[in-house]
Amino acid sequence: MIRTPYLLFLGDAPDQLAAKVAQGIADWRPENVVGQFRMPNCKADVAAKDMTLAEAYEAGARTLVVGVANRGGVISEAWIDVLCEALEIGYDVASGLHNLLRDEKRVKATSQRAGRTLYDVRVPTVSYPIANGVKRSGKRCLAVGTDCSVGKMYTGLAMDAEMRSRGMKSTFRPTGQTGILIIGNGIPLDAVVADFMAGAVEWLTPDNEPDHWDHIEGQGSLYHISYSGVTLALIHGGQPDALILAHEPTRTHLRGLPDHSLPSLEALRDTALPLARLANPDCEVAGISINTKALGEDEALRLCEETEARMGLPCVDPFRHGAGRLVDALAGI
Amino acid sequence: MIRTPYLLFLGDAPDQLAAKVAQGIADWRPENVVGQFRMPNCKADVAAKDMTLAEAYEAGARTLVVGVANRGGVISEAWIDVLCEALEIGYDVASGLHNLLRDEKRVKATSQRAGRTLYDVRVPTVSYPIANGVKRSGKRCLAVGTDCSVGKMYTGLAMDAEMRSRGMKSTFRPTGQTGILIIGNGIPLDAVVADFMAGAVEWLTPDNEPDHWDHIEGQGSLYHISYSGVTLALIHGGQPDALILAHEPTRTHLRGLPDHSLPSLEALRDTALPLARLANPDCEVAGISINTKALGEDEALRLCEETEARMGLPCVDPFRHGAGRLVDALAGI
């Protein structure tokens, strides 16, 4: 478990998009954010208070989270200066970058000398078991997508937030590096060894109270041939009681696969549900989540209404319109 | 590529089953076997010539292959003595054990001093790419099972052997440690990191001549929740032109999952084929392979006939009755 609260490191982000990890934390766990640390030429801003390392530590921050993508596959000397200073002050440092903190000699040595912890959240740290398929208590919801990167994580975070605001028992269960940094724990599923994928998901979502919901972060798509195996392991290890179908309506082909078109929502439903029922015979498709970011307000509402009528399932953009109707749809499950 | 031919190390195998890796090599690549090395209390025999390390080296053997399971999760001192002697003589040593040769200090040091290579075939040695889904030339056949361990590897090996005996262009493509030791190369798919599973399979089965067949070794089952993700990655990375349905008729539940029953062959067909067509729209189910080892001759033949009539597909036990009819079934594909 990464120590909270955080100081968000935005570095020298060239634009707002480069800081999307920091934005995700600020959007979904503002209570974990003491402030943001920006270098002189930083072009991103997640609307947190600008603070020095010393000020934020004084204000309670205990982990400096790298909330920005690095450039050119290297961690610059300027970044390393900041990370080392943070370690000296008493911060742990957490990162989801491909370049690992532990591989940076100066950062590693400073963390050891200062007795602080480096969290490279892309790297599994647990020996996960082989999945045993035994039914677990409590309820689980999983978003499955017509493609990668269509809003599955935001759907789960929004449903979790809605449930907690209603006083319901709910936990978001991260399976990727952004989710792990937002919540402070989880499994980096795409980096787990093949035989242990489903077991890692079982480990992530243990027995729980009968009225507790785990919102498991989705990954990949059954239709995306590069990552479909990860998705199926998530479905079978997660043994969800409810599936949410997730879609982005402007995608012209599967991400990174120009020769592969997206499935219809009907096809996704008909593929995912029978597979999910192998692990949990009671699984149902509960609703549809559409990422309408690229659409105007009228167009977004019209698409959701049309899709809802066509599919006979509640359909919303949970980030734009709230996840209330998706949470309502879980009531009978 | 592991150097051939081999001397098969049977160690102190307590029974014949413990030496099933050596048996697989002797069954499928007898031309790679110079002899077998047995310790005094060995209870297994793969009907190769008993030889000392020196005799077999003299006869041309270049790799000592550990063809036997170890006991109690340790590699004994008695084994280590033999492995080190082999390295001193000039052998490489190859193993698919969970306990790695490289983790045995004396074996590691001896291999380095002697300038020889240790092959721990459970451990990936290649940085596999992310799958790109681009259609490759040549043909591919993959066995998919109603469960794990139902004869998928033997089906592929038998079809490959039949094709080569007919003078057809054919390659067996191993995806597990036994297959890798039999052939001398391949990918240990169950040990590959999740994101790279499908890419590893693409790497394993590259472009080939239009009339060349790859027989890709199957793994797991879409219905086995512990390993289904590995199976789907194999289907999507392999982009097979033909599927063979593989089944063991006496199994009462999925291996290791007492609460999960096996699917029917019809259900397996209807699940696997649409998923396979996402990667290769021309994929067809070509035949059925039944592992009849537990049945008498009459019973085995009757089951194959009944299944063939019911499913409308050629159905054989390729190990017992030959793979000719399965190879015939690929003619139109």
Side-chain angles (χ1 to χ4, degrees):
Chain A
M1 190 81 189
I2 300 170
R3 289 192 302 166
T4 54
Y6 301 154
L7 175 63
L8 301 177
F9 176 74
L10 271 57
D12 46 5
D15 53 40
Q16 191 66 20
L17 190 63
K20 71 176 183 175
V21 170
Q23 190 66 61
I25 300 171
D27 284 345
W28 295 106
R29 287 295 180 274
E31 67 272 27
N32 285 349
V33 177
V34 169
Q36 63 186 7
F37 180 96
R38 303 193 293 162
M39 289 160 64
N41 48 348
C42 181
K43 302 287 196 303
D45 182 350
V46 300
K49 189 173 173 190
D50 283 299
M51 297 176 105
T52 65
L53 295 173
E55 286 167 354
Y57 192 82
E58 180 67 25
R62 286 298 173 264
T63 302
L64 181 70
V65 174
V66 178
V68 57
N70 57 335
R71 284 189 266 191
V74 294
I75 300 181
S76 69
E77 286 301 311
W79 281 31
I80 288 175
D81 288 341
V82 177
L83 304 183
C84 288
E85 190 189 337
L87 290 162
E88 300 279 10
I89 290 175
Y91 286 94
D92 294 333
V93 180
S95 159
L97 300 178
H98 275 290
N99 301 80
L100 303 184
L101 297 172
R102 68 179 71 162
D103 290 342
E104 298 296 330
K105 285 203 181 74
R106 197 146 61 91
V107 174
K108 175 89 178 279
T110 306
S111 73
Q112 288 173 330
R113 194 173 58 244
R116 303 280 21 124
T117 303
L118 302 177
Y119 293 97
D120 283 305
V121 302
R122 270 184 197 270
V123 182
T125 53
V126 173
S127 287
Y128 301 112
I130 299 274
N132 64 24
V134 175
K135 183 79 176 75
R136 304 191 293 287
S137 53
K139 300 285 189 183
R140 284 159 196 84
C141 182
L142 173 69
V144 292
T146 53
D147 193 2
C148 302
S149 310
V150 293
K152 296 184 297 292
M153 182 182 78
Y154 268 50
T155 301
L157 284 163
M159 292 178 74
D160 171 55
E162 174 69 17
M163 279 197 170
R164 288 185 297 121
S165 78
R166 294 184 186 186
M168 297 171 70
K169 296 169 188 164
S170 171
T171 309
F172 181 74
R173 300 293 190 182
T175 62
Q177 60 268 14
T178 304
I180 294 172
L181 289 173
I182 292 174
I183 302 299
N185 60 41
I187 57 167
L189 185 59
D190 62 8
V192 171
V193 162
D195 252 4
F196 303 97
M197 295 185 296
V201 182
E202 290 188 348
W203 177 92
L204 179 70
T205 67
D207 279 319
N208 217 317
E209 294 171 78
D211 57 344
H212 177 279
W213 280 89
D214 271 343
H215 297 277
I216 307 172
E217 181 187 349
Q219 293 292 341
S221 166
L222 288 170
Y223 284 78
H224 195 294
I225 62 96
S226 308
Y227 309 114
S228 55
V230 181
T231 308
L232 187 54
L234 198 50
I235 292 173
H236 282 171
Q239 55 181 232
D241 300 273
L243 297 176
I244 304 291
L245 308 180
H247 183 57
E248 203 286 324
T250 66
R251 209 62 70 82
T252 55
H253 58 75
L254 289 174
R255 192 178 165 93
L257 303 177
D259 298 337
H260 291 72
S261 55
L262 273 72
S264 65
L265 286 164
E266 288 86 344
L268 175 62
R269 175 195 64 201
D270 295 344
T271 298
L273 188 57
L275 289 169
R277 285 182 171 167
L278 298 177
N280 183 346
D282 297 328
C283 186
E284 298 286 352
V285 175
I288 299 166
S289 170
I290 298 193
N291 177 350
T292 64
K293 197 172 175 180
L295 306 182
E297 182 65 19
D298 287 352
E299 206 180 359
L301 283 172
R302 195 169 346 110
L303 178 64
C304 288
E305 281 168 21
E306 285 170 5
T307 306
E308 176 154 343
R310 193 181 96 221
M311 300 289 294
L313 289 165
C315 176
V316 298
D317 180 335
F319 193 61
R320 190 169 195 161
H321 306 125
R325 297 190 56 234
L326 296 179
V327 168
D328 293 345
L330 299 186
I333 288 175
Chain B
M1 191 80 189
I2 300 170
R3 288 192 303 167
T4 54
Y6 301 154
L7 176 62
L8 302 177
F9 176 74
L10 271 57
D12 45 5
D15 53 40
Q16 191 66 20
L17 189 63
K20 71 176 183 176
V21 170
Q23 190 66 60
I25 300 171
D27 284 344
W28 294 106
R29 287 294 182 277
E31 67 272 26
N32 285 349
V33 177
V34 169
Q36 63 186 9
F37 179 96
R38 302 194 294 162
M39 288 161 65
N41 47 348
C42 180
K43 302 286 194 303
D45 181 351
V46 300
K49 189 174 174 190
D50 283 299
M51 297 177 105
T52 66
L53 295 173
E55 285 167 355
Y57 192 83
E58 180 68 24
R62 286 299 173 264
T63 303
L64 181 70
V65 174
V66 178
V68 57
N70 57 335
R71 282 189 268 191
V74 295
I75 300 181
S76 69
E77 286 300 311
W79 281 31
I80 289 175
D81 288 342
V82 177
L83 303 183
C84 288
E85 189 188 339
L87 290 162
E88 300 279 12
I89 290 174
Y91 286 93
D92 294 332
V93 180
S95 159
L97 299 179
H98 275 291
N99 301 80
L100 303 185
L101 297 172
R102 68 180 70 161
D103 291 342
E104 298 295 332
K105 286 204 181 73
R106 195 146 61 93
V107 174
K108 176 88 178 280
T110 306
S111 74
Q112 288 174 330
R113 194 172 58 244
R116 303 279 23 122
T117 303
L118 302 178
Y119 293 97
D120 283 305
V121 302
R122 270 183 197 269
V123 182
T125 54
V126 172
S127 288
Y128 302 112
I130 300 275
N132 64 25
V134 174
K135 183 79 176 75
R136 306 190 294 286
S137 53
K139 300 285 189 183
R140 286 160 194 84
C141 182
L142 174 69
V144 291
T146 52
D147 193 4
C148 301
S149 310
V150 294
K152 295 184 297 293
M153 182 182 79
Y154 267 51
T155 301
L157 284 163
M159 292 179 73
D160 172 56
E162 173 70 17
M163 279 197 170
R164 289 186 297 121
S165 79
R166 295 184 186 186
M168 298 170 71
K169 295 168 189 165
S170 171
T171 308
F172 181 74
R173 300 292 190 183
T175 61
Q177 59 268 14
T178 304
I180 294 171
L181 289 172
I182 292 174
I183 302 299
N185 60 41
I187 57 167
L189 186 58
D190 62 8
V192 172
V193 163
D195 251 4
F196 303 98
M197 295 184 297
V201 181
E202 290 189 348
W203 176 92
L204 179 70
T205 67
D207 279 319
N208 217 316
E209 294 171 78
D211 57 345
H212 176 279
W213 280 90
D214 271 343
H215 297 278
I216 306 171
E217 181 187 350
Q219 294 292 342
S221 167
L222 288 171
Y223 284 78
H224 195 294
I225 62 96
S226 309
Y227 309 113
S228 54
V230 181
T231 308
L232 187 54
L234 198 49
I235 291 172
H236 282 170
Q239 53 181 233
D241 301 274
L243 296 177
I244 305 291
L245 308 181
H247 183 57
E248 203 285 325
T250 66
R251 210 61 70 83
T252 54
H253 58 74
L254 289 173
R255 192 177 164 94
L257 303 178
D259 298 337
H260 291 73
S261 55
L262 273 71
S264 66
L265 286 164
E266 288 87 343
L268 175 62
R269 175 195 64 199
D270 295 344
T271 298
L273 188 57
L275 288 170
R277 285 183 172 167
L278 298 178
N280 184 347
D282 297 328
C283 186
E284 298 286 354
V285 175
I288 299 166
S289 171
I290 298 192
N291 178 349
T292 64
K293 196 172 177 183
L295 306 182
E297 183 66 19
D298 288 352
E299 205 179 1
L301 283 172
R302 196 170 345 110
L303 178 65
C304 287
E305 281 168 20
E306 285 170 5
T307 306
E308 177 154 341
R310 192 181 97 222
M311 299 289 295
L313 289 165
C315 176
V316 299
D317 180 334
F319 193 62
R320 190 169 195 161
H321 306 125
R325 297 188 56 236
L326 296 180
V327 168
D328 293 344
L330 299 186
I333 287 175

